[in-house]
Amino acid sequence: MRVAQVDNRAVLIREDQYLDIEKTSQGRFRSDLGRIYDKWTELREWASGLKWSNSVSLGSGVAFSSPAPHPGQVFAIGLNYKDHAREMGMVLPEIPTTFTKFPSCLTGDRAHVKLPSSNVDWEVELVVVMGIKCHEVSSDKAWDYVAGLSIGQDLSERVVQVKAGGQFSLGKSFPGFGPIGPCLVTPDELADPNDLALKTKINGEVVQDSRTSQMIFSVAEIISKLSEVVTLNPGDVIFTGTPSGVGMSFNPPRYLSPGDIITSEIEGIGVLTTFCV
Ligand code: ZN
């Protein structure tokens, strides 16, 4: 199943068609996807028996806002790919390095993001959205609590990020620094949700190119480790870390400029586009 927010309304997507969830369900589910994660199991059952007779064509000009519109918690994992830890000159972590992106930084597909300085870097990441509340979940059960996967950019102001003594969150939370989209894909849609190609292109040039199977802590291990401490709720977001190829690792470092177009791709999910202004 694929869901998204089109014109700020929750929709189901199948190929090039979509269905408005609130209208089709005659109000059983809300129009706001952020309020639907509480009823995730119910939504999946309802959607599986649905007839698509009243679907609408997506068309090319559709605006996808974030499929995780107002999460209660946003987790981000640093240094979760061996090659990225190496390029940052860091030792491999024994537990996931966890920070937050404050939710006000979240945005959707085709967002125009204002660069606050000339030190803003890209980080393509697989984004997990939780579907069922959990605490102290083992890694072999962790996928059962996931609603789906999306694409994210963990945009990072590198000077602010390191200035705060290892507390990354502020440097990663300027307005627009958390694009997520274009849609949310349930894990069963993907041949292997643990091994997806992911890429960043800047103005068409490939700068990051890896696979999620290269993670140090897998999606299931991240969920299990986080849930040892916190309760994860429906709609919560986890940015799962970025592979090598960030601008900071270039010699000299290469950061984003106004006019740059970031395309973030993950196999089986789609393409997330971000415009730097
Ligand atoms: Zn990151």
Side-chain angles (χ1 to χ4, degrees):
M1 184 174 82
R2 286 171 181 263
V3 296
Q5 290 253 118
V6 170
D7 298 328
N8 291 311
R9 293 185 62 86
V11 301
L12 291 169
I13 295 179
R14 197 166 75 178
E15 290 157 21
D16 63 344
Q17 301 283 307
Y18 74 92
L19 274 179
D20 185 286
I21 291 176
E22 187 201 28
K23 286 180 192 159
T24 311
S25 72
Q26 295 174 315
R28 180 173 165 194
F29 300 103
R30 310 270 288 267
S31 62
D32 173 358
L33 191 50
R35 300 279 172 249
I36 290 180
Y37 291 114
D38 285 331
K39 289 186 168 184
W40 190 249
T41 309
E42 223 181 290
L43 179 83
R44 293 213 58 179
E45 273 166 28
W46 169 79
S48 68
L50 209 56
K51 293 187 180 63
W52 280 69
S53 42
N54 292 320
S55 62
V56 181
S57 178
L58 267 173
S60 55
V62 166
F64 291 101
S65 47
S66 171
H70 29 72
Q73 304 181 93
V74 180
F75 302 92
I77 309 300
L79 304 172
N80 198 30
Y81 286 75
K82 282 181 196 151
D83 53 356
H84 177 56
R86 225 173 280 132
E87 76 180 356
M88 302 292 273
M90 310 290 267
V91 289
L92 298 188
E94 285 173 20
I95 59 167
T97 304
T98 307
F99 56 93
T100 190
K101 291 176 79 70
F102 295 106
S104 59
C105 80
L106 300 181
T107 186
D109 184 34
R110 304 187 73 79
H112 289 73
V113 178
K114 186 180 164 219
L115 302 176
S117 74
S118 54
N119 304 306
V120 180
D121 205 344
W122 54 82
E123 296 192 352
V124 66
E125 307 202 1
L126 180 71
V127 163
V128 176
V129 179
M130 300 305 294
I132 298 172
K133 182 175 179 168
C134 64
H135 183 236
E136 295 178 343
V137 63
S138 61
S139 56
D140 60 325
K141 298 273 192 298
W143 275 107
D144 297 349
Y145 298 87
V146 171
L149 302 173
S150 192
I151 307 167
Q153 267 289 335
D154 174 18
L155 294 173
S156 305
E157 210 285 2
R158 295 301 191 197
V159 174
V160 178
Q161 179 186 341
V162 297
K163 215 157 58 176
Q167 302 291 327
F168 293 170
S169 303
L170 271 185
K172 288 166 173 276
S173 296
F174 286 88
F177 269 31
I180 300 176
C183 61
L184 184 96
V185 179
T186 53
D188 58 291
E189 291 261 321
L190 303 161
D192 182 356
N194 289 301
D195 183 25
L196 305 169
L198 76 172
K199 266 184 200 157
T200 299
K201 294 179 188 166
I202 307 295
N203 307 323
E205 180 195 342
V206 177
V207 288
Q208 292 189 283
D209 187 2
S210 187
R211 304 193 70 84
T212 60
S213 50
Q214 301 300 311
M215 287 181 184
I216 297 169
F217 299 100
S218 67
V219 167
E221 286 167 339
I222 292 168
I223 292 167
S224 177
K225 287 283 184 195
L226 291 176
S227 80
E228 281 178 14
V229 179
V230 293
T231 300
L232 299 173
N233 290 308
D236 281 355
V237 163
I238 307 170
F239 283 76
T240 57
T242 199
S244 64
V246 299
M248 196 181 187
S249 70
F250 283 59
N251 187 14
R254 173 179 164 187
Y255 294 127
L256 293 162
S257 303
D260 282 348
I261 299 171
I262 311 167
T263 42
S264 315
E265 303 179 14
I266 300 185
E267 182 182 9
I269 303 176
V271 179
L272 169 75
T273 303
T274 307
F275 301 99
C276 301
V277 297

